[in-house]
Amino acid sequence: MHFRDIVGNGDIIRQLRSYADREAVPHALLFAGPAGTCKLHTALAFASYLLCRTPGGGDSCGHCPGCVKTAKLIHPDMHFVFPVINKSKSSTRKTISDDEIENWRKFLLTESNPTYDKWLSVLDAGNQQALIYTEESDSITHKLQLTSNQGGYKTIIIWMPEKMHENCANKLLKILEEPPAGTVFILVSDDPEHIIGTITSRTQRIDFSDIPEDVTAENIERDSSEFLEIFIQMMRMAYARKLKEMKLLSEDIAARGREWQKDFLRYCQRMVRENFINNLHQPQLTRMTGSEQEFSSRFSPFVNERNIAGITAEIQECQKHIEQNVNAKMVFFDFVLKLIMLLKQ
């Protein structure tokens, strides 16, 4: 993640650059604001900037060894703390962030808008609430004792500190009072009023506001372009009966995370509707981008009164199965197999 990837928040990015360039980075920062305001992505970009060996142009370079590792979220000086549900069978130790680190990395790398509810879905939490347990403080202490891999900063990103158990918060307070040199804590909170005051008083707070509507519209357009590209691939492969390619595409979709899959299925549902209306020669009733209209001019004849109900039903079936956490590879491969027959009707 780079500063250039962040939507909006230009003043905040300039402030963070200034901290780093002047070597005056506060030892603890609190990124506060509503969900969807790029706080976590900004934290990742700032950590990448601090850990980059050859920053330039106000951003991390993207190609040094440090950037290669931060891009994969595996840099040894980039640490994460986040809420988890207790899956430990031990009576003496609860689950900590490191136990879910692979799911966490995949979540951040595939989810454009990471939220607490989406993370609960990844954890398959059911009715449980994810927390940062007391045991996490021992893990943080251990990480702080490690020597910096590159002799520079060590960053610890704490996501949703308001979910921290009181005992863990009290232990963290002692660490914040005398942090090791070169350590930067970045607390990322949707609800800072529920963090204990003794912690917030020891942080430099930066408030994130909602993204302007015009910037949000631009971001939605970018997401729609990605969905359109995959939708086109899926329909063309199904029509041409390219089973091997269909299987690979299903695996790619399955690797993207459940929230992304649900958003994609909603997009598929809309595109099927738009193409059916276009096939009825009612363009004034459609709402498509230029790229969507271009594809629809060729694809809409294949969405007609003989198959519209069947295609819609199969998408709804996919949505139900994804909600139930059925194996996504099987769900999407089965879907494209059924499309083979439906598109021929």
Side-chain angles (χ1 to χ4, degrees):
M1 181 63 65
H2 306 279
F3 284 139
R4 58 182 174 270
D5 299 322
I6 306 300
V7 179
N9 298 305
D11 290 341
I12 291 174
I13 290 173
R14 283 187 285 274
Q15 181 180 355
L16 295 174
R17 283 193 190 117
S18 176
Y19 284 152
D21 295 344
R22 293 185 291 111
E23 297 185 353
V25 181
H27 74 273
L29 292 159
L30 171 60
F31 289 4
T37 48
C38 296
K39 302 184 302 297
L40 184 52
H41 286 155
T42 303
L44 293 172
F46 185 46
S48 180
Y49 191 55
L50 294 175
L51 298 174
C52 177
R53 294 185 181 181
T54 56
D59 211 342
S60 49
C61 71
H63 54 74
C64 73
C67 284
V68 171
K69 291 175 182 177
T70 54
K72 298 177 182 178
L73 307 180
I74 59 173
H75 196 293
D77 294 329
M78 176 189 276
H79 304 286
F80 295 100
V81 174
F82 45 85
V84 294
I85 60 173
N86 185 32
K87 298 179 181 178
S88 175
K89 296 180 181 180
S90 170
S91 60
T92 59
R93 178 190 179 278
K94 288 186 170 63
T95 302
I96 61 174
S97 301
D98 286 350
D99 297 327
E100 293 285 358
I101 193 63
E102 291 305 320
N103 283 331
W104 173 254
R105 287 169 178 153
K106 185 180 295 185
F107 176 62
L108 292 190
L109 292 172
T110 58
E111 179 54 61
S112 60
N113 181 26
T115 65
Y116 179 68
D117 287 341
K118 291 178 181 180
W119 177 234
L120 288 180
S121 295
V122 172
L123 293 175
D124 197 19
N127 294 325
Q128 298 184 68
Q129 290 296 304
L131 299 171
I132 300 174
Y133 294 102
T134 302
E135 287 78 0
E136 195 75 55
S137 59
D138 294 332
S139 177
I140 295 173
T141 300
H142 172 71
K143 290 168 183 175
L144 294 179
Q145 292 171 346
L146 300 174
T147 303
S148 171
N149 184 263
Q150 296 182 4
Y153 288 104
K154 286 192 294 185
T155 61
I156 298 181
I157 297 174
I158 303 179
W159 185 60
M160 305 295 288
E162 58 268 36
K163 300 294 182 181
M164 188 176 292
H165 191 280
E166 184 177 355
N167 288 341
C168 183
N170 288 329
K171 289 185 177 182
L172 177 62
L173 176 61
K174 295 178 181 179
I175 298 172
L176 290 178
E177 288 175 343
E178 296 182 7
T183 301
V184 179
F185 285 89
I186 308 175
L187 283 64
V188 182
S189 173
D190 290 353
D191 191 7
E193 306 310 317
H194 282 82
I195 306 172
I196 63 173
T198 47
I199 284 184
T200 57
S201 66
R202 287 164 173 77
T203 64
Q204 176 70 48
R205 177 166 171 163
I206 298 178
D207 288 300
F208 286 67
S209 58
D210 291 330
I211 301 170
E213 288 186 7
D214 57 340
V215 176
T216 304
E218 178 185 335
N219 204 36
I220 292 172
E221 177 79 15
R222 186 168 63 243
D223 291 341
S224 296
S225 297
E226 180 185 26
F227 288 154
L228 174 61
E229 181 181 348
I230 296 175
F231 181 80
I232 291 173
Q233 290 180 44
M234 179 179 288
M235 297 303 156
R236 286 177 174 170
M237 289 175 186
Y239 186 79
R241 300 177 179 240
K242 295 183 177 181
L243 296 181
K244 182 178 180 180
E245 289 85 348
M246 289 159 59
K247 182 175 181 295
L248 293 174
L249 180 63
S250 300
E251 292 173 353
D252 176 61
I253 293 173
R256 291 173 177 263
R258 193 161 65 168
E259 292 302 321
W260 186 97
Q261 293 158 13
K262 289 192 286 188
D263 289 342
F264 175 64
L265 286 169
R266 283 190 286 268
Y267 178 82
C268 290
Q269 201 169 42
R270 182 179 73 81
M271 281 298 289
V272 168
R273 172 193 174 277
E274 298 292 334
N275 278 273
F276 178 64
I277 293 174
N278 208 26
N279 192 22
L280 296 177
H281 306 291
Q282 300 289 333
Q284 72 278 9
L285 299 179
T286 63
R287 294 183 178 180
M288 292 187 284
T289 65
S291 299
E292 290 170 344
Q293 289 173 346
E294 182 181 354
F295 174 67
S296 180
S297 66
R298 301 184 299 275
F299 176 67
S300 60
F302 299 97
V303 184
N304 51 62
E305 65 277 4
R306 295 183 299 277
N307 61 16
I308 179 65
I311 296 175
T312 301
E314 291 301 334
I315 294 175
Q316 291 172 344
E317 188 74 3
C318 282
Q319 290 172 320
K320 182 179 74 173
H321 287 154
I322 293 300
E323 287 284 354
Q324 295 171 343
N325 207 27
V326 176
N327 185 298
K329 291 181 184 178
M330 295 174 58
V331 171
F332 283 97
F333 188 52
D334 183 64
F335 175 51
V336 292
L337 286 175
K338 290 175 179 175
L339 281 176
I340 291 176
M341 301 304 298
L342 288 166
L343 292 177
K344 299 293 184 179
Q345 295 179 8

